[in-house]
């Protein structure tokens, strides 16, 4: 009899059970009392009793249902061996496993070949085309993190299946909207061969002025950690870490949400920000990010702007409570609006056992007009 992987609710370890045993467990968990509270950092079980496997994810609401998309993590590698998972919920606490929304490919040489790096998938719905549009950070199999691409897939249904369309770098041959004659004149005088040594004051200033922007102009700008955002007017934006993770880019999407429009801006040049999560409150745009320390957690950063195009101002760490100096041991991935409530979502990475990575969900409060994320061991969420 065929076996299936199962995550032990007690230990969080992966064991093998038969299909018949898996079915009985699913029936058992379906009969259990429903969860009413969120407990960050613990095992979060779906309707079959398995730990939710949707890391680096984001959530989309369609109708009366919330859909959670995230990376399927294997037990021993962070490479994509399955693809993007989808879960559905009516209350944001109890989740049904909808299966794989986007499968990696077994075709050799495919952009999304099994073993590639596929991270931080986000899905948004286009009301005009009726399509569900998925974007994600993509690194080609066997190429490390050198490709620095974004990938795009599309579906007619929220849970998929999604059809992979293409991957590429961002805005080739295009300058940011804030680059006028003065900025372009400075770029013309720059020679990257004059900056062999990194991290010097001169190098930092050159980065700020666009040294790596110029380097990648022909091939397209790097696109790594990312999120998507739909503004009140229906315009959508792709926010991603670029220029060797030194600078964030905010790029406007075309009306079908499947390409860049060619308009983009740079945020915090040389600031080394990744893991962007964005929201708007009372006309002000807020963005929470992290520093660049690999899988290790670090102190969250926060920025605000009166327009999606800036200017963006940095603020102190919004986190409060135990381990706030390392974002409670996690890294930002998404900010979910639920009515007037805003939920900060983050991942606690476990690179030695990727599938056992955990989730942090905490309400965002405001103090003196600025967002605050305060640790709570347990809290109740109402979608009303």
């Amino acid at each position: 009899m065929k076996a299936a992987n199962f995550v032990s609710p007690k230990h969080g370890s992966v064991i093998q059970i038969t299909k018949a045993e898996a079915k009985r467990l699913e029936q058992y968990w379906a009969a259990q009392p429903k969860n009413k509270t969120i407990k960050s950092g613990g095992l979060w079980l779906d309707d079959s009793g398995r730990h939710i496997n949707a890391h680096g994810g984001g959530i989309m609401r369609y109708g009366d249902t919330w859909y959670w998309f995230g990376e399927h993590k294997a037990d021993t590698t962070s490479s994509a061996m399955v693809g993007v998972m989808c879960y559905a919920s009516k209350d944001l606490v109890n989740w049904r496993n909808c299966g794989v929304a986007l499968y990696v490919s077994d075709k050799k040489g495919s952009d999304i070949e099994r073993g590639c790096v596929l991270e931080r998938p986000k899905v948004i719905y286009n009301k005009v085309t009726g399509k569900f549009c998925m974007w994600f950070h993509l690194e080609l199999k066997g190429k490390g993190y050198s490709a620095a691409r974004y990938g795009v897939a599309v579906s007619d249904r929220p849970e998929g299946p999604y059809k992979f369309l293409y991957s590429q770098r961002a805005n080739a041959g295009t300058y940011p909207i804030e680059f006028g004659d003065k900025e372009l004149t400075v770029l013309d005088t720059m020679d990257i061969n004059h900056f062999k040594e990194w991290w010097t004051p001169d190098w930092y200033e050159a980065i700020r002025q666009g040294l790596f922007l110029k380097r990648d102009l022909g091939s397209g700008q790097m696109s790594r950690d990312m999120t998507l955002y739909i503004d009140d007017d229906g315009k959508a934006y792709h926010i991603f870490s670029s220029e060797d993770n030194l600078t964030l880019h905010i790029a406007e999407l075309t009306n079908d949400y499947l390409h860049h429009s060619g308009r983009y801006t740079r945020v915090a040049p040389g600031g080394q920000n990744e893991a962007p999560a964005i929201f708007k409150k009372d006309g002000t745009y807020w963005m929470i990010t992290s520093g660049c320390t690999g899988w290790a957690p670090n102190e969250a950063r926060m920025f605000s702007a009166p327009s999606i195009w800036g200017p963006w101002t940095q603020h102190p760490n919004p986190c409060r409570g135990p381990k706030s100096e390392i974002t409670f041991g996690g890294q930002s991935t998404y900010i979910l609006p639920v009515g007037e409530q805003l939920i900060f979502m983050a991942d606690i990475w476990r690179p030695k056992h990727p599938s056992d990575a955990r989730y942090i969900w905490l309400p965002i409060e405001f103090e003196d007009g600025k967002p605050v994320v305060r640790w709570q061991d347990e809290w109740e969420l109402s979608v009303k």
Side-chain angles (χ1 to χ4, degrees):
M1 185 175 290
K2 292 183 177 179
N5 286 333
F6 179 75
V7 179
S8 166
K10 183 176 182 181
H11 302 291
S13 57
V14 177
I15 58 177
Q16 280 205 331
I17 59 176
T18 66
K19 293 289 187 180
E21 289 170 332
K23 185 175 182 180
R24 286 196 294 270
L25 281 167
E26 288 174 3
Q27 292 171 342
Y28 168 80
W29 283 104
Q32 299 307 299
K34 298 298 184 183
N35 295 323
K36 294 183 178 180
T37 59
I38 290 174
K39 302 176 183 178
S40 293
L43 282 172
W44 197 337
L45 308 182
D46 65 16
D47 59 338
S48 67
R50 296 175 176 87
H51 181 44
I52 292 172
N53 201 336
H55 310 282
I59 293 181
M60 173 195 67
R61 184 177 184 180
Y62 183 69
D64 64 351
T65 304
W66 304 85
Y67 294 90
W68 181 354
F69 299 90
E71 310 159 25
H72 179 283
K73 291 290 191 186
D75 295 339
T76 59
T77 177
S78 288
S79 296
M81 307 306 293
V82 173
V84 177
M85 295 294 294
C86 176
Y87 294 80
S89 175
K90 300 290 187 181
D91 61 8
L92 289 169
V93 180
N94 299 280
W95 293 89
R96 172 174 57 87
N97 187 340
C98 298
V100 182
L102 174 68
Y103 280 97
V104 293
S105 174
D106 286 320
K107 182 179 179 182
K108 188 174 179 59
S110 167
D111 286 3
I112 57 169
E113 182 180 354
R114 190 182 309 277
C116 67
V117 173
L118 195 163
E119 297 177 333
R120 297 183 176 268
K122 304 293 185 290
V123 175
I124 52 178
Y125 176 63
N126 190 297
K127 295 180 180 179
V128 176
T129 65
K131 300 291 185 181
F132 298 89
C133 307
M134 177 187 292
W135 287 58
F136 49 88
H137 166 216
L138 179 68
E139 300 290 346
L140 303 179
K141 182 179 180 179
K143 303 291 186 181
Y145 274 72
S146 63
R149 297 185 181 189
Y150 65 86
V152 181
V154 68
S155 176
D156 294 321
R157 302 169 60 219
E159 68 271 28
Y162 283 77
K163 178 184 178 182
F164 174 68
L165 298 180
Y166 71 96
S167 78
Q168 65 182 41
R169 284 195 173 187
N171 293 305
T174 306
Y175 291 103
I177 60 169
E178 64 269 21
F179 272 45
D181 291 341
K182 179 182 177 181
E183 289 78 11
L184 294 177
T185 299
V186 171
L187 274 189
D188 284 342
T189 65
M190 282 189 187
D191 184 347
I192 197 167
N193 294 314
H194 295 162
F195 299 92
K196 297 290 188 181
E197 185 179 357
W198 288 29
W199 316 116
T200 66
D202 287 345
W203 179 87
Y204 265 117
E205 179 60 19
I207 291 295
R208 189 188 66 77
Q209 293 175 332
L211 180 67
F212 283 2
L213 181 86
K214 179 180 180 180
R215 178 197 66 186
D216 297 334
L217 190 65
S219 60
Q221 303 301 321
M222 290 180 161
S223 177
R224 290 188 176 137
D225 276 13
M226 57 141 286
T227 192
L228 296 177
Y229 175 71
I230 300 179
D231 211 339
D232 300 335
D233 59 2
K235 283 286 187 182
Y237 300 88
H238 177 209
I239 300 99
F240 54 97
S241 189
S242 191
E243 301 178 36
D244 276 314
N245 291 10
L246 289 163
T247 302
L248 290 166
H249 287 194
I250 298 178
E252 182 186 72
L253 302 187
T254 52
N255 290 335
D256 61 7
Y257 299 171
L258 297 178
H259 301 273
H260 287 155
S261 72
R263 287 173 51 82
Y264 73 100
T265 188
R266 301 165 78 223
V267 179
Q272 291 183 276
N273 286 277
E274 60 181 15
I278 189 171
F279 67 101
K280 184 162 71 171
K281 175 72 171 176
D282 298 330
T284 297
Y285 296 81
W286 296 91
M287 182 160 52
I288 297 176
T289 71
S290 83
C292 300
T293 53
W295 296 110
N298 56 62
E299 187 175 36
R301 289 94 174 270
M302 185 168 67
F303 300 83
S304 70
S307 162
I308 193 77
W309 301 111
W312 289 87
T313 300
Q314 186 165 356
H315 303 273
N317 177 11
C319 299
R320 304 287 186 272
K323 296 184 179 179
S324 59
E325 74 283 2
I326 53 170
T327 318
F328 317 116
Q331 185 184 39
S332 52
T333 183
Y334 196 70
I335 293 171
L336 174 65
V338 183
E340 294 300 313
Q341 177 69 73
L342 294 157
I343 301 172
F344 172 75
M345 296 170 52
D347 295 277
I348 300 174
W349 301 115
R350 295 191 169 174
K352 293 183 179 179
H353 188 180
S355 63
D356 192 38
R358 306 297 177 86
Y359 310 104
I360 295 172
W361 284 28
L362 294 169
I364 295 178
E365 305 167 1
F366 276 79
E367 293 182 356
D368 299 324
K370 294 180 180 180
V372 170
V373 182
R374 183 172 284 104
W375 177 261
Q376 298 184 42
D377 292 329
E378 184 176 2
W379 62 286
E380 187 168 344
L381 167 64
S382 173
V383 297
K384 295 179 183 180

